Amino acid sequence: MSHEGEAVVGLHHQFDTTLQQKEAASFGMWLFLVTEALFFGGLFCAYTIYRWSYPESFTAASRTLNIQLGTFNTAVLIGSSLTMALAVRAAQLGKNKLCALLLALTILLGAVFLGVKAKEYADKFEHHHVPGPTFHFEGEGASHAQMYFCLYFAMTGLHAFHMIIGAGLLTFVIVQALRNKYSPSNYNFVEGVGLYWHFVDLVWIFLFPLLYLIGRHH
Amino acid sequence: MAAHGDHGHVTPLKQYYAVFLALMVLTAITTWVAFQDLGFLNNVVALGIAGIKATMVILIFMHVRHSTRVIPVVVLSSLFWLALLLVVTWTDYYSRGWLGVVGR
């Protein structure tokens, strides 16, 4: 409970305690993530429908992806989630410098992920696997391979777009951390950005098996 | 909430490292399993592992394990709405051919 006339640093007037303020912030962020889950959910839904309709095409198209790069990127993203979690912990303990360093590392890992993704996209352009007038796919399952690549680019593209936004948010948090803005009583913004970054990791955890690991055993 | 201190629960470093390690191992397993022929179980295993990985990220990295009770409710509500989105669409696509609907 608050005490009249006693100002707690970083506590906004509508909250009784910093803990309540923190919980409200997390709650709000989680509500946003629900809408994000449904946003991606629409694409996952489309994916399931088309994969059921054209299983051969999806298998054939999926196997053109580079599984080494995909696995590597999954590891990189999980690594960035770890550094993110550690950064939130540092902010929670008021260690602003450590927090900034870990966030910089998170951005770096995110950049590696996007760089690898760019390489994969470039390969797709080179092999004419990008949907559109220049699309070309031969062999078994060629009939609806374009549908797989539509979903591949829509899903990984939207995911990458989220990461770019995340990198922007992280940059802002780094600046704030270097200004010593975070303390055990108020690190809510770091926590919120952390939730967002982990959510992006969650999406990839499902994208990886669904896009890269179809029918590899044939 | 008093047990969590004034400013929320601080997760021990060991737990973060353990989750990270588990996620890495599961990633290696899911890639390896994809090359084994398990029939339709390939999909089940792949999505099962993804589900386990997601659960760990949500509980530990996203602090849901030590959050207030309303947060798990929000998380589960997202799963509920996702399930509605998926299941209702699936039943529609699955059953649409059953009736001779004009114009289809």
Side-chain angles (χ1 to χ4, degrees):
Chain A
M1 291 293 112
S2 69
H3 305 284
E4 292 291 330
E6 185 189 317
V8 178
V9 180
L11 179 64
H12 292 284
H13 65 86
Q14 67 269 38
F15 298 109
D16 283 337
T17 63
T18 49
L19 181 62
Q20 186 194 38
Q21 178 173 261
K22 189 237 154 200
E23 283 169 352
S26 294
F27 178 58
M29 194 61 201
W30 268 107
L31 287 181
F32 169 67
L33 293 184
V34 173
T35 70
E36 286 276 78
L38 289 165
F39 184 27
F40 278 99
L43 283 169
F44 278 102
C45 189
Y47 170 92
T48 57
I49 298 291
Y50 283 106
R51 185 169 160 190
W52 269 327
S53 306
Y54 313 112
E56 300 84 11
S57 293
F58 268 56
T59 303
S62 169
R63 292 175 77 182
T64 67
L65 297 190
N66 187 327
I67 197 164
Q68 281 89 10
L69 289 182
T71 310
F72 173 76
N73 251 357
T74 306
V76 167
L77 207 55
I78 290 170
S80 81
S81 250
L82 175 70
T83 55
M84 184 75 236
L86 295 178
V88 172
R89 189 177 185 274
Q92 210 172 3
L93 299 172
K95 298 175 183 169
N96 279 279
K97 280 220 176 76
L98 180 63
C99 174
L101 180 72
L102 287 162
L103 291 176
L105 212 56
T106 309
I107 292 188
L108 184 72
L109 289 168
V112 169
F113 180 95
L114 289 173
V116 171
K117 204 77 226 148
K119 164 84 175 83
E120 290 187 85
Y121 277 12
D123 286 347
K124 291 285 150 249
F125 274 95
E126 204 177 302
H127 293 114
H128 298 287
H129 286 167
V130 181
T134 61
F135 184 81
H136 184 74
F137 195 94
E138 273 178 7
E140 204 188 334
S143 58
H144 292 92
Q146 193 161 198
M147 199 61 227
Y148 169 86
F149 285 110
C150 280
L151 285 162
Y152 168 77
F153 279 103
M155 294 170 102
T156 59
L158 189 65
H159 177 264
F161 180 62
H162 274 78
M163 288 192 65
I164 292 167
I165 292 177
L169 291 169
L170 287 175
T171 309
F172 173 75
V173 179
I174 289 176
V175 173
Q176 296 293 87
L178 289 176
R179 288 178 181 162
N180 269 323
K181 292 278 182 182
Y182 303 116
S183 63
S185 61
N186 194 356
Y187 62 97
N188 304 341
F189 198 85
V190 193
E191 170 85 18
V193 173
L195 288 176
Y196 175 86
W197 193 264
H198 294 311
F199 173 81
V200 175
D201 188 22
L202 278 182
V203 172
W204 185 260
I205 283 175
F206 285 96
L207 283 182
F208 175 60
L210 290 177
L211 293 175
Y212 286 78
L213 303 180
I214 313 172
R216 289 281 175 177
H217 53 273
H218 296 311
Chain B
M1 283 294 116
H4 296 163
D6 279 336
H7 310 298
H9 177 84
V10 179
T11 309
L13 282 176
K14 263 189 193 164
Q15 236 175 65
Y16 283 138
Y17 294 140
V19 168
F20 170 72
L21 206 67
L23 290 173
M24 286 300 203
V25 170
L26 285 172
T27 301
I29 291 176
T30 196
T31 303
W32 176 79
V33 162
F35 288 93
Q36 317 305 314
D37 192 356
L38 306 177
F40 79 101
L41 280 177
N42 272 105
N43 288 327
V44 179
V45 171
L47 287 176
I49 291 177
I52 295 170
K53 287 166 80 178
T55 308
M56 286 196 293
V57 170
I58 290 171
L59 288 182
I60 307 299
F61 282 179
M62 297 173 96
H63 303 147
V64 170
R65 189 166 166 226
H66 291 282
S67 62
T68 38
R69 281 193 194 151
V70 71
I71 304 293
V73 173
V74 175
V75 177
L76 292 175
S77 78
S78 80
L79 295 182
F80 173 74
W81 291 109
L82 267 180
L84 271 189
L85 169 71
L86 294 172
V87 173
V88 173
T89 312
W90 291 341
T91 51
D92 180 28
Y93 271 85
Y94 186 70
S95 63
R96 214 182 279 186
W98 293 357
L99 300 171
V101 179
V102 180
R104 184 182 169 271

